Amino acid sequence: MGTVTLGVSIAVPEPYGSLLQERRASFGDPAAYGIPTHVTLLPPTEAEAADLPAIEAHLSQIATAGRPFPMRLSGTGTFRPLSPVVYVQVVEGASACSWLQKRVREASGPLVRELQFPYHPHVTVAHGIEEEAMDRAYEELSSYEAAWTCGSFALYEQGADGVWRKINEFPFGAGGGAPAVPAQGGSSMDQPSLYP
């Protein structure tokens, strides 16, 4: 069956996702339309195609244990000079994203991998383009704001054309996206939470 290149991420919903994708393209980033606007939980990772059922089962378990949470983006940041990236900052929901990405990569699961850099949730708006265009992205989106309730994450596969396509979406909670409620009289300490 061969290998596939997978990623796991939280999609930035409409109208924010398309707007940021269009802005990314306007800065001259050739990857803009091949990458849905997102917050990464698992960077591009090679996997055996035969392992996809186990990977999807793993992600489904994580989602079932999770809860919807507020996400808010505000202003810009950059990883330069370490990495040629300008991004919109995640100012609310970062701890939940961190919890999720740890579970996605946990040693007992099928997506174990080390990260090249410490995990820092963000929304890329420019990557690997000319410095002047990176500066423009940083300045022009410095007052950008967006907020929504995150109710799911998704598994994506990168095609031979370089485009990332969604394979499956995983809503939080046992009720298909509704927050899971602890049993009456039970301790909330027994319930998994997105908040450490």
Side-chain angles (χ1 to χ4, degrees):
M1 285 183 86
T3 62
V4 290
T5 301
L6 303 175
V8 178
S9 63
I10 293 169
V12 175
E14 297 303 336
Y16 315 119
S18 290
L19 184 143
L20 288 176
Q21 192 174 45
E22 287 165 13
R23 294 308 309 271
R24 185 170 178 171
S26 78
F27 302 132
D29 190 328
Y33 290 118
I35 305 173
T37 308
H38 67 282
V39 176
T40 299
L41 298 177
L42 178 77
T45 300
E46 291 289 317
E48 294 295 326
D51 291 341
L52 272 171
I55 289 168
E56 293 198 53
H58 171 65
L59 296 176
S60 183
Q61 284 182 334
I62 294 166
T64 298
R67 310 285 184 275
F69 60 92
M71 287 279 285
R72 188 163 68 87
L73 309 178
S74 181
T76 49
T78 184
F79 294 132
R80 294 182 294 173
L82 194 61
S83 182
V85 172
V86 171
Y87 58 86
V88 173
Q89 299 184 74
V90 175
V91 296
E92 187 175 4
S95 63
C97 291
S98 184
W99 183 91
L100 284 168
Q101 67 88 25
K102 284 179 190 170
R103 299 306 168 289
V104 169
R105 297 183 302 104
E106 65 192 353
S108 61
L111 291 171
V112 179
R113 68 161 288 171
E114 293 296 317
L115 298 180
Q116 187 177 359
F117 301 106
Y119 182 72
H120 181 85
H122 64 281
V123 178
T124 299
V125 291
H127 181 213
I129 56 177
E130 292 186 14
E131 288 295 318
E132 188 178 302
M134 301 275 270
D135 292 341
R136 194 159 62 86
Y138 187 87
E139 290 161 17
E140 290 183 14
L141 291 170
S142 63
S143 60
Y144 183 79
E145 296 277 339
W148 70 94
T149 297
C150 177
S152 66
F153 60 86
L155 175 65
Y156 291 82
E157 180 180 347
Q158 187 178 36
D161 57 1
V163 175
W164 287 90
R165 294 175 180 88
K166 183 164 60 174
I167 297 176
N168 203 347
E169 190 158 354
F170 301 91
F172 295 129
V181 179
Q184 289 291 332
S187 166
S188 62
M189 295 300 285
D190 299 332
Q191 299 296 322
S193 170
L194 280 178
Y195 303 100

